[in-house]
Amino acid sequence: MSQSPYSDHIDVASLEPMFRPASVAIIGASSDPARIGGMPLAFLKANRFAGPIYPVNPRGPTIQDLPSFPSIRDIGKPVDLALIAVPAVHVIPSLEACIEVGVRAVIIFSAGFAEIDEEGARQQERIAAIGREGGIRIMGPNCIGLVNFSTGLYMSFHPAFAFSGKPGGKLGIVTQSGAFGGHVHRMALDRDISYSFCITTGNEADVDVADGLAFLAEDPGTTAIQVYFEGFRKGRKLMRALEMAQRNKKPVVAIKLGRTEAGAAAAASHTAALAGTDAVWDAVLRQYGVYRATSIEEFLEIGIACATAQRPVNDRIGLVTVSGGVGVLMADAAADYGLDVSPMPQAAQDKIKKLVPFAATRNPIDITGQVVNDFSLLGQAIDIIVAEGGYGSLVPFIGSSARVPERAARLLEQCVDLRTRYPELLLVQAAISPPEFRNGLQALGYLSYEEPVSAVRAVAALAAFRRHFARKDAPPDPPPAVPAPARGGPLSEYDSLRFLKAAGLPVVDARLVRSAQEAEAAAAALGFPVALKVASADILHKSDVGGVALGLASPAALRDAYAAMAAGVAAKTGRKVETFTVAPMVSGGVETVLGVNRDPVFGPVVMFGLGGIFVEALGDVVFRAAPFGRDEAHRMIRAIRSFRILEGVRGRPAADIDALAAALARLSALAAAHADAIETIDVNPFLVRAKGQGAVALDALVIPRKSE
Amino acid sequence: MSQSPYSDHIDVASLEPMFRPASVAIIGASSDPARIGGMPLAFLKANRFAGPIYPVNPRGPTIQDLPSFPSIRDIGKPVDLALIAVPAVHVIPSLEACIEVGVRAVIIFSAGFAEIDEEGARQQERIAAIGREGGIRIMGPNCIGLVNFSTGLYMSFHPAFAFSGKPGGKLGIVTQSGAFGGHVHRMALDRDISYSFCITTGNEADVDVADGLAFLAEDPGTTAIQVYFEGFRKGRKLMRALEMAQRNKKPVVAIKLGRTEAGAAAAASHTAALAGTDAVWDAVLRQYGVYRATSIEEFLEIGIACATAQRPVNDRIGLVTVSGGVGVLMADAAADYGLDVSPMPQAAQDKIKKLVPFAATRNPIDITGQVVNDFSLLGQAIDIIVAEGGYGSLVPFIGSSARVPERAARLLEQCVDLRTRYPELLLVQAAISPPEFRNGLQALGYLSYEEPVSAVRAVAALAAFRRHFARKDAPPDPPPAVPAPARGGPLSEYDSLRFLKAAGLPVVDARLVRSAQEAEAAAAALGFPVALKVASADILHKSDVGGVALGLASPAALRDAYAAMAAGVAAKTGRKVETFTVAPMVSGGVETVLGVNRDPVFGPVVMFGLGGIFVEALGDVVFRAAPFGRDEAHRMIRAIRSFRILEGVRGRPAADIDALAAALARLSALAAAHADAIETIDVNPFLVRAKGQGAVALDALVIPRKSE
C-alpha cells in the first residue's frame, strides 16, 4: 500500500552508532565547561563515559585535561559519534571531514539553519544530502543533543544535565524541544526518577522524532516512552513508530501542542511547520493508545507511572481511606476516568465492619480516624480488601501519617509485606509524605502521590494501557478490488455510488435513465415510491437547481416530475441534461455521514458523524487514519458525543451498528488503497437502519485528486 | 417570598462568642497533650491564646500547668466558649451546666450521635433543642472544632494543628469534614500559606456549613473562602450565605462531593444525607460564581490564589516564555480556560524583535534561550509587554533559572521592581524554583507555580471572579400576580396554559370548545389550519389515545377530526370527553423545553433544554435555582452544549433568545412565588421563533403539590 505523501521508512539499526557509540569526538570542544562546546565534555567526564573522548580544537594540546586534536582528521582512531559545535559556516566542512574519516554518526548543535531563513533551510538540506550520500545519520542542526544515561553519554549542552540521573532509568523521552527535555529531566530528578535516554531532535534534517520514538520502542532498557511534539509532518512514519511501541507493549505518553486555535497559531509561529488538524492528531494518538497529556505535570506523572509500576490486571479499583470525604473524592475521580468502583463482596464488608465498627465498607472503604489510635488496622483492613475484593489496583489514602517518623517506619514495613504477598497488585499511595518515604515506596514499585485524584488518574492511565495492549483487533479489510478513480473532476452521484458499491459498501439501487420511459421502467422494477434526480458530474448541488424529486408514488407523478425537472434544470443551468437516476425511496433509520479526507500530515483519514445538525452545527465528528478494522470502527462510532442516538431513543429501535462499522472499515480500506488517487469522499446521508437490517448510502460524492 | 422547604435564616452576630471568644473552658481537659481533651489545651498555650483558659476536670488541681476546675460551675468567671470533650453520655449534662452558668457558645467534640444510630440522632436533636432554648450556638457534635489563627484560638484536636499557621492569613475554610480541614491546613503550611479560620462543622446539630460560610463572608480578616461539602440539605440557607460572600466580593472555592453516580453512592453511605441532584448543585454553585474544584490540589491552589493575589483588570493574558513549546502549552491552556490570548500591537512586537532577533513576538512571547546568556533581556522584554500589551495578567515561564542562586537574587529584584511599577497587574510566575524564592514572590503578591498550566488556570479563575463580581444583573422579575394553583391533580393542558399566561408567559391562543360548532367558530376566529386536542386533566398522554389532530386546514377537516376524536377517545378511555381545545398551528422556530422541579435541597429550580432528542437522549439540560433575572437566563441558555442551534444553523435564522430568556426569568419568578404549591411545570414544546418574533408555549402541564 502506498503511504503517500510521505515515506514511513524507519531504520533503527542505523541509529546504533549515534545512541550507543563506543567512541566520541567533539568538534569545537571548549576548555570552558560553561560554554556550548565545553559543557558536553565536562558532562561526559563527570558521568564516566566509558569509551575514548576526542576533543577537537586547534588550540590544544589539551582541552579539559584530555589530549585534543586540531582536526577530526588527526585522531587516527575510529570515531563512532562526532558532535559538531562550531559556528554555522563551519558545519558543512566539519561534516564532510567526519564522513571522510569514517565517523558513523553526527550530532549538530549549531544553530542558524532552517529556523532562520530560506538560505539556512537550503544549507540544512545540503547537510541532509551529505549525510545520506555519506551513509551516516545526523541529529540536528539546532538541537540540544542526546543523553544515554546508562553509558554516561551526556552529549548535550543543556545546563539541566549538570545534574546526573542514576543509570538504570526505564523511561525514555524524545522531544522536539531541547529546552523542554532539560526541564523535565530536572523535574524527574526532583522525583528521584531518571531517564534511559533523552533525545532532542532540533531541526530534524535527518533523525526526527519518529526515529527517536522507534529507537526507544526497540531499546531493551526502555519500558515506557514520553514524546513531545511541536509540529511534525511525517504522519505515516509516526504511525509506524507508534506501531512498534504498541507491538512491544510500551506505553507512550505524549504532549502535542496546538490543541486550540490560539495554541495552533502560537505553534505555527514557533515551529513554522504545518500543523495538520488537531482533531486528526488526537484521533491518531487515540488509535495507537497514546496517552495525551495537557500539562507538564501530567506528562511526567503518567510517564513515571508507566515506567515504574505494573499495569493492573483489571479495571476494578479499590479505594481505602482514613477520611470519608477523600474517599468520595477518589470515587468521583475514578468514575470520571472510567474505572470500576465496584463494592466488595458482602462477606468481606462484614469482616471490615468487625474490625472497625463505624467503617464504610462498600468502596471506598473508610477505616476512619480510628487508624490514628491503632495503626495495625490499616494493614488488617487492606489484607481483607486485597484478598477478597478482586481489585486490580488499590489506592490507600492515609493523610499525613507518613510524616510521623515512627509511623513511617511501620508503614513502610507494611508496604514491603503487601508488595511481597500481592506481587500482581498495582499499589498506589496517596499521602503527604516526606521524600525519603515516597522514594522508598517508588523503589518497591508503588506509585505515590500527594493528590488523591492524581493517584486515581495514574491507575486509569495504566488500566487503559492494559486494555489497549490486550486488544485482539481484526486486521483492516484487504484493499478492495476496484480500480482507482480517474484523475479529473468529481464523479457524478451515480458514478460515486457505483464506485463505492464496487468497493463493497452498501448503496441504494439507483438506476441511470435517459428518458421518461426508461425512468418508468426502472421505477416499475424497483417499486414505487421512487426518487428522481438529475445525474450530471457538473451539477454538485442538485437541489439548488430543482434536480431532486422525492417520494414519487405513481407513474404519473414520475412522468410529471421528469418533464418538470428536465425543463427546469435546463432553464437554470443553461444546459440540456441527458441523464437522470431513479432510486427507491428508503427511509427509517438514523442518518449518518461518512467521509474521507486527505490530512496534510496523516494522509487518508476517515470521518464519521450523525447527519444534519450534529455534524454541521455541533461539530460532533470523529476521525481515524485509514485503514482500520471493524473493532476500531466500533470504537470510532462510540466516540461521538451523540452516540446514544444510535442505541435507539424515544422508542426507536437500536441502529445496525455492526453494518455501520463494517462500512467504515471498508471505506477506510478503500481510502488507504487509493490514497494517491482520492481527494475526498462524502457519503451523506448514509442511512443506518434498525439492527439486523443493514445500512445504505443514499447519496455520495467522490472527488479524485487533481494531480500528484 | 416563602423559601420552602427550609428556612434560610442566618444570624452571624450570634456566632461571635464562638469564633472570637474572650475566654474559653475545656470540659474534659486532659493532662496528656496527645489526647482529645489535651490537644486543644496544648495548642491554645502554644499559640498564646490571649484570654483566660479554664481546664475543667475533677482530677485537678492543675492540668497542663493551668489551674483546673472540677466543674464548669466552679469557674465563677464569665466563659464565652466552652469545649465539651467527654464521652457521649456526659454531653447533655455538661451542656446544661454550660447554659446554667451563662456560657455563650459550645463546641462538642464528642462522637456517638446521629452518625451512629437513631438513638444518637434523637440525643443530637435534644442537644440542638437545649441550645435553642438556652439561646446559645453549638458546633458539633462529632466535630474537630475550629481554629481562629489570628487570636491563637486552636480549639481542635486534629494533630495537624500542632503545626501553627502564621497569624494574618486571609483565606478562611469551612468544612464538613474535620479530617479534610486538618489535611489542607498541612498542605497550605507546606506552601507557606496560613488560614484566617478553619471551621469544621461535624454533625451540624446547630451551626452548619452555611453559617460558617456566612461568618467568613462577613469576617473583615478573610478575603477568600474555601468550603468543603459532603452533603447538605439547607439549599436556600446556603444560597443566602453565598449571596453574602458575593455581595462582599469574596471568591468562594468549593469541593462538593458526589459528582458521579459512584461518588454519590459513596457519599450517601458516608454522610447518610440526601444528596440532591448534582446537576442542580453544580448549577447553583455556578449561579453564585463559585469555583468548583475536583481535586484537593486545585481547591488549594485556587483558594490560595484568591487570597494572595489581585484579580486581573481584564481577561487578556500575556504569556512570556524562555521555551517556545511551553509558551504554546500555556496558550492552549489559556484558550481552554476561556482567556483572551490576543497578540501584542505590532509596534511592541517590533521592539521585542529588536531586543531578541529570533523571538516569537505575538503572544506567547518567546524570548528564547538567549536569556540564559543575557538575563537583563527578560526584564526589558517584560517592560515592553506590560507597557504596550494591555494585558490584565502576565505569566512568565522561566524554566529553572531561579535555582541558580545569583540569578534568583537578580530575578527577585526584577520582580520587586515590576510589582512596584505595575501595581494593577496580576503577576504569575511559572518556574521550578526553590521554596524561599517562591515564598518571596508570594509575599510580593505574585503567584508562583511549577506547572505552567496551573499558572494559567489560576489566572482564569481570578478573571472569572472579576467578571462575576462586576455583573450588573437585572433583578429577578417581581412575583407574578397570579394565584397559586389549587392543590390536587394535574391541570389540563388548557388550564396549564392559562395559568402560565396569567403569569406572563407567551402561550398559544388555545380556545376551549364543547361542540363541533364551537370548534368551527373558534377555528374561523383563529384562522385555519388549526390543531384540535382533547382537553381533560385526566388524560395526560393525549397522543396515546388519539386525542391530537394537527394541521386541520378546513372546516370539513375539523368536523371530521372532531367526530373521530370524540368517538375514538371515548372508546379508548371508556369515558365521554366533553371538552376540546382548538388552537392555531404555529410552526417555524426551534423547539425547546422549559420546566420547573422541586429539588430536595434547593427547592424550586428551573430547567431548560432543546426539544426532542437533545433533552431525552443527550441529557443536554441546564438548571438554575429560582428566581433569577434575564441576565442569568441568558447565561443559562448559553450553558447548554447545543446552544449553537439557537444561533441559526443550516441557513435558519437566529432564534429570539431575548424572548426565551424573558420567559425563563418569568417562569422562575412564578416557581419561586408558589414554591409551596407547585410540584412541577413542564412546557414542551416552547417554540422559540426567529429573532424579533417572540416565542410561544404550545403545550404545558402544571402539577400542583399534593400536600405540604
Side-chain angles (χ1 to χ4, degrees):
Chain A
M1 184 182 52
S2 160
Q3 294 288 15
S4 71
Y6 302 106
S7 156
D8 66 347
H9 180 70
I10 295 180
D11 179 0
V12 167
S14 70
L15 298 169
E16 280 292 317
M18 178 176 286
F19 289 0
R20 282 190 265 264
S23 53
V24 298
I26 297 174
I27 301 172
S30 166
S31 298
D32 179 353
R35 301 198 56 173
I36 288 179
M39 234 184 279
L41 196 49
F43 294 168
L44 285 164
K45 288 172 64 187
N47 292 284
R48 300 167 201 280
F49 175 69
I53 304 168
Y54 306 111
V56 175
N57 186 324
R59 290 209 196 123
T62 64
I63 301 279
Q64 295 192 38
D65 300 326
L66 287 172
S68 89
F69 302 83
S71 152
I72 188 113
R73 292 185 179 87
D74 302 317
I75 296 174
K77 303 236 177 82
V79 173
D80 276 355
L81 172 63
L83 179 59
I84 299 182
V86 297
V89 289
H90 302 309
V91 166
I92 288 180
S94 298
L95 176 61
E96 287 170 335
C98 285
I99 290 174
E100 192 187 313
V101 300
V103 168
R104 298 170 70 202
V106 165
I107 297 175
I108 305 174
F109 282 177
S110 323
F113 294 92
E115 82 280 12
I116 300 294
D117 56 17
E118 283 299 308
E119 174 54 25
R122 272 192 295 276
Q123 291 300 317
Q124 184 171 315
E125 273 165 36
R126 255 198 80 204
I127 289 173
I130 292 167
R132 261 195 313 275
E133 282 156 30
I136 65 164
R137 302 303 303 262
I138 297 171
M139 179 172 288
N142 189 30
C143 77
I144 288 183
L146 78 89
V147 182
N148 176 340
F149 293 87
S150 67
T151 66
L153 180 81
Y154 280 63
M155 289 294 253
S156 176
F157 67 96
H158 194 289
F161 295 112
F163 304 86
S164 303
K166 285 182 294 193
K170 302 284 185 199
L171 180 61
I173 181 171
V174 52
T175 164
Q176 293 188 307
S177 157
F180 186 83
H183 186 69
V184 296
H185 167 67
R186 282 303 293 274
M187 290 180 74
L189 287 183
D190 287 345
R191 290 155 174 79
D192 204 41
I193 288 290
S194 50
Y195 280 98
S196 59
F197 282 90
C198 176
I199 304 168
T200 82
T201 55
N203 285 9
E204 304 191 335
D206 170 22
V207 174
D208 59 31
V209 67
D211 290 311
L213 183 55
F215 177 83
L216 295 174
E218 300 292 331
D219 171 45
T222 299
T223 61
I225 303 169
Q226 288 178 314
V227 54
Y228 175 93
F229 298 104
E230 301 202 321
F232 191 59
R233 295 210 49 164
K234 303 176 193 166
R236 290 285 153 171
K237 183 173 178 183
L238 174 60
M239 286 163 67
R240 183 86 200 289
L242 289 173
E243 209 173 271
M244 291 164 72
Q246 180 176 275
R247 197 167 49 232
N248 292 332
K249 296 201 184 341
K250 296 193 185 177
V252 177
V253 180
I255 283 184
K256 153 69 178 65
L257 299 178
R259 286 182 298 113
T260 64
E261 260 180 57
S269 80
H270 172 50
T271 64
L274 190 60
T277 312
D278 189 74
V280 174
W281 265 94
D282 200 67
V284 171
L285 295 179
R286 199 174 297 269
Q287 209 166 337
Y288 285 91
V290 174
Y291 184 104
R292 187 176 184 183
T294 60
S295 76
I296 302 176
E297 189 183 49
E298 184 183 14
F299 181 71
L300 201 59
E301 283 190 355
I302 303 301
I304 292 173
C306 291
T308 60
Q310 69 230 83
R311 293 186 280 277
V313 297
N314 62 37
D315 286 357
R316 285 166 62 90
I317 185 171
L319 302 168
V320 185
T321 181
V322 297
S323 150
V326 175
V328 180
L329 190 75
M330 294 194 292
D332 274 334
D336 280 346
Y337 291 124
L339 292 168
D340 173 0
V341 200
S342 296
M344 289 204 296
Q346 192 56 50
Q349 294 194 42
D350 294 344
K351 285 186 198 167
I352 297 282
K353 208 83 180 177
K354 232 174 252 170
L355 204 60
V356 187
F358 303 124
T361 58
R362 283 171 50 92
N363 186 21
I365 298 107
D366 174 12
I367 53 171
T368 78
Q370 274 282 100
V371 79
V372 175
N373 298 324
D374 180 358
F375 207 65
S376 73
L377 288 177
L378 181 65
Q380 293 176 58
I382 286 182
D383 268 349
I384 297 166
I385 295 161
V386 172
E388 307 191 21
Y391 301 113
S393 57
L394 188 78
V395 183
F397 170 77
I398 56 160
S400 37
S401 297
R403 273 196 173 167
V404 185
E406 58 272 29
R407 270 205 206 135
R410 284 186 49 203
L411 200 56
L412 203 55
E413 275 170 38
Q414 283 189 355
C415 292
V416 173
D417 182 54
L418 207 59
R419 176 75 296 164
T420 315
R421 283 185 299 130
Y422 302 102
E424 292 228 313
L425 184 67
L426 170 60
L427 284 159
V428 185
Q429 182 101 292
I432 307 186
S433 37
E436 343 42 287
F437 184 79
R438 281 213 310 274
N439 297 345
L441 284 182
Q442 202 165 267
L444 289 171
Y446 276 70
L447 296 174
S448 170
Y449 300 90
E450 182 168 308
E451 170 59 53
V453 169
S454 298
V456 173
R457 181 175 69 181
V459 171
L462 291 169
F465 280 118
R466 180 194 60 77
R467 286 197 306 275
H468 183 74
F469 294 143
R471 280 182 191 169
K472 305 236 180 296
D473 277 10
D477 293 6
V482 57
R487 290 181 190 268
L491 307 194
S492 70
E493 174 182 347
Y494 179 74
D495 288 340
S496 294
L497 287 171
R498 228 170 36 152
F499 177 68
L500 294 176
K501 188 180 180 188
L505 277 101
V507 305
V508 69
D509 187 6
R511 309 281 173 93
L512 201 65
V513 298
R514 291 164 190 282
S515 68
Q517 289 74 9
E518 281 183 30
E520 272 184 64
L526 295 166
F528 285 95
V530 295
L532 176 73
K533 299 184 193 178
V534 58
S536 162
D538 303 328
I539 302 174
L540 291 188
H541 303 285
K542 297 181 284 284
S543 303
D544 296 353
V545 296
V548 177
L550 301 177
L552 305 171
S554 67
L558 176 57
R559 258 195 312 276
D560 291 352
Y562 192 99
M565 193 177 290
V569 172
K572 283 222 178 174
T573 63
R575 261 186 300 206
K576 188 156 185 281
V577 181
E578 313 253 331
T579 50
F580 297 79
T581 59
V582 174
M585 288 301 296
V586 185
S587 62
V590 180
E591 287 195 4
T592 68
V593 181
L594 323 185
V596 172
N597 300 311
R598 290 174 55 77
D599 183 77
V601 172
F602 293 100
V605 297
V606 171
M607 185 275 273
F608 165 70
L610 296 192
I613 46 166
F614 291 97
V615 168
E616 292 176 34
L618 303 181
D620 187 12
V621 297
V622 60
F623 298 91
R624 287 295 184 270
F628 50 83
R630 293 178 188 203
D631 298 296
E632 186 66 39
H634 268 281
R635 287 189 288 269
M636 180 184 186
I637 294 165
R638 281 164 177 77
I640 58 168
R641 296 194 301 275
S642 39
F643 170 68
R644 283 192 55 191
I645 289 170
L646 288 165
E647 293 183 303
V649 291
R650 308 184 93 193
R652 290 191 203 156
D656 197 332
I657 296 173
D658 286 338
L660 174 59
L664 283 165
R666 212 75 208 98
L667 187 63
S668 83
L670 177 67
H674 296 309
D676 293 334
I678 295 171
E679 192 62 45
T680 64
I681 298 177
D682 192 16
V683 187
N684 183 5
F686 184 77
L687 192 74
V688 186
R689 311 189 69 181
K691 196 163 179 167
Q693 294 178 25
V696 58
L698 297 185
D699 196 347
L701 175 61
V702 175
I703 304 184
R705 293 198 71 192
K706 286 215 166 61
S707 58
E708 188 60 42
Chain B
M1 186 183 52
S2 160
Q3 293 286 16
S4 70
Y6 301 107
S7 156
D8 65 349
H9 180 70
I10 296 181
D11 179 1
V12 167
S14 69
L15 297 168
E16 280 293 316
M18 179 176 285
F19 289 1
R20 281 189 267 264
S23 54
V24 298
I26 298 175
I27 301 172
S30 165
S31 298
D32 179 353
R35 301 198 58 170
I36 286 178
M39 236 184 277
L41 197 48
F43 294 169
L44 285 164
K45 289 173 63 188
N47 292 285
R48 299 168 202 281
F49 175 68
I53 305 169
Y54 305 110
V56 175
N57 187 323
R59 289 213 196 121
T62 64
I63 302 279
Q64 296 192 37
D65 301 327
L66 286 173
S68 89
F69 302 84
S71 151
I72 188 110
R73 292 186 179 88
D74 301 317
I75 296 176
K77 301 235 179 88
V79 172
D80 276 356
L81 172 63
L83 179 59
I84 298 181
V86 297
V89 287
H90 302 308
V91 166
I92 287 181
S94 299
L95 176 60
E96 287 169 337
C98 286
I99 291 175
E100 191 187 312
V101 301
V103 167
R104 298 171 68 202
V106 165
I107 298 176
I108 304 173
F109 281 177
S110 323
F113 294 92
E115 82 280 11
I116 300 294
D117 56 17
E118 284 300 309
E119 175 53 25
R122 270 191 297 275
Q123 292 300 316
Q124 183 170 315
E125 273 165 37
R126 255 198 80 205
I127 288 173
I130 292 169
R132 260 196 314 274
E133 282 155 32
I136 66 164
R137 302 303 303 262
I138 296 171
M139 180 172 288
N142 189 30
C143 77
I144 289 185
L146 77 89
V147 182
N148 176 341
F149 292 88
S150 68
T151 65
L153 180 81
Y154 280 64
M155 290 292 254
S156 176
F157 68 96
H158 194 291
F161 295 112
F163 304 87
S164 302
K166 286 181 295 192
K170 302 285 186 198
L171 181 59
I173 182 170
V174 52
T175 164
Q176 293 188 306
S177 157
F180 187 83
H183 187 68
V184 295
H185 166 68
R186 282 304 293 273
M187 291 180 74
L189 287 183
D190 288 347
R191 289 155 174 80
D192 204 38
I193 288 290
S194 51
Y195 281 98
S196 58
F197 281 89
C198 177
I199 303 167
T200 82
T201 54
N203 285 9
E204 304 190 335
D206 169 22
V207 173
D208 59 32
V209 67
D211 289 311
L213 184 55
F215 177 83
L216 295 174
E218 300 292 331
D219 171 45
T222 299
T223 60
I225 302 168
Q226 288 179 314
V227 54
Y228 175 92
F229 298 104
E230 301 202 322
F232 191 58
R233 295 210 51 164
K234 303 177 196 165
R236 291 283 154 170
K237 183 173 179 183
L238 175 60
M239 286 163 66
R240 181 90 198 286
L242 290 172
E243 211 173 85
M244 292 165 71
Q246 182 176 272
R247 199 168 47 230
N248 293 333
K249 294 198 183 347
K250 296 192 185 177
V252 177
V253 180
I255 284 183
K256 152 69 179 65
L257 298 178
R259 287 182 299 111
T260 64
E261 260 178 57
S269 80
H270 172 47
T271 63
L274 191 59
T277 313
D278 190 74
V280 173
W281 266 94
D282 201 67
V284 171
L285 295 179
R286 201 174 294 270
Q287 206 165 339
Y288 286 91
V290 175
Y291 185 104
R292 186 174 185 184
T294 59
S295 76
I296 302 177
E297 190 183 49
E298 185 183 14
F299 181 70
L300 201 59
E301 282 190 354
I302 304 301
I304 291 173
C306 292
T308 61
Q310 69 230 82
R311 293 186 279 277
V313 297
N314 62 36
D315 286 359
R316 285 166 62 90
I317 185 171
L319 302 168
V320 184
T321 179
V322 298
S323 151
V326 175
V328 180
L329 191 75
M330 293 194 291
D332 275 334
D336 281 346
Y337 292 123
L339 291 169
D340 172 0
V341 199
S342 296
M344 288 204 295
Q346 192 57 49
Q349 294 194 42
D350 295 343
K351 284 186 198 165
I352 297 282
K353 207 84 182 175
K354 232 174 251 170
L355 204 62
V356 188
F358 303 126
T361 57
R362 282 170 51 91
N363 186 22
I365 298 108
D366 174 13
I367 53 172
T368 78
Q370 275 280 101
V371 80
V372 174
N373 297 324
D374 180 358
F375 207 64
S376 72
L377 288 177
L378 181 63
Q380 294 176 58
I382 285 182
D383 268 348
I384 297 165
I385 295 161
V386 172
E388 308 191 21
Y391 301 113
S393 57
L394 188 78
V395 183
F397 170 78
I398 57 161
S400 36
S401 297
R403 273 197 172 167
V404 185
E406 58 272 29
R407 270 204 206 134
R410 283 187 50 203
L411 199 56
L412 203 55
E413 275 170 39
Q414 283 189 357
C415 291
V416 173
D417 183 54
L418 207 58
R419 176 75 298 165
T420 314
R421 283 186 299 130
Y422 302 101
E424 293 230 311
L425 185 68
L426 170 61
L427 284 158
V428 185
Q429 183 101 290
I432 307 184
S433 37
E436 4 10 307
F437 184 79
R438 280 212 311 273
N439 297 345
L441 284 183
Q442 202 165 269
L444 291 171
Y446 276 69
L447 297 173
S448 172
Y449 300 90
E450 181 167 309
E451 170 59 53
V453 170
S454 298
V456 173
R457 181 175 68 182
V459 171
L462 291 170
F465 281 117
R466 180 193 62 75
R467 287 196 307 275
H468 182 74
F469 295 143
R471 281 182 191 168
K472 304 234 181 299
D473 277 10
D477 293 5
V482 57
R487 290 181 191 267
L491 306 195
S492 70
E493 174 183 347
Y494 178 74
D495 289 338
S496 295
L497 286 172
R498 230 170 33 151
F499 177 68
L500 293 176
K501 189 179 178 188
L505 278 99
V507 304
V508 70
D509 187 5
R511 309 282 173 92
L512 199 66
V513 298
R514 290 163 191 284
S515 68
Q517 289 75 8
E518 282 183 30
E520 271 184 64
L526 295 167
F528 284 96
V530 295
L532 177 73
K533 300 185 192 177
V534 59
S536 163
D538 302 328
I539 302 174
L540 292 188
H541 302 286
K542 297 181 285 284
S543 304
D544 296 353
V545 296
V548 177
L550 301 176
L552 305 171
S554 66
L558 176 58
R559 260 195 312 276
D560 292 352
Y562 191 98
M565 193 178 290
V569 172
K572 284 220 179 178
T573 63
R575 261 186 299 209
K576 187 155 185 279
V577 180
E578 314 253 330
T579 51
F580 298 80
T581 58
V582 174
M585 288 300 297
V586 186
S587 61
V590 180
E591 286 193 6
T592 68
V593 181
L594 322 186
V596 172
N597 299 311
R598 289 175 56 80
D599 184 78
V601 172
F602 293 99
V605 298
V606 171
M607 184 276 273
F608 165 70
L610 297 192
I613 45 167
F614 290 97
V615 168
E616 292 176 34
L618 303 181
D620 186 10
V621 297
V622 61
F623 298 90
R624 287 293 184 272
F628 50 82
R630 294 180 185 201
D631 298 295
E632 187 65 40
H634 269 281
R635 287 189 289 269
M636 181 184 185
I637 294 165
R638 281 164 178 78
I640 58 168
R641 296 195 301 275
S642 40
F643 170 69
R644 281 193 56 190
I645 289 169
L646 289 165
E647 294 184 300
V649 292
R650 308 184 93 193
R652 289 193 204 155
D656 197 332
I657 296 173
D658 287 336
L660 174 59
L664 283 164
R666 213 73 210 98
L667 187 63
S668 82
L670 177 66
H674 296 309
D676 292 334
I678 296 170
E679 191 65 42
T680 64
I681 299 178
D682 192 16
V683 188
N684 183 6
F686 183 77
L687 192 72
V688 186
R689 312 188 69 182
K691 197 165 176 162
Q693 294 178 25
V696 58
L698 298 186
D699 195 348
L701 175 61
V702 174
I703 303 185
R705 292 198 70 192
K706 286 216 167 62
S707 59
E708 186 60 41

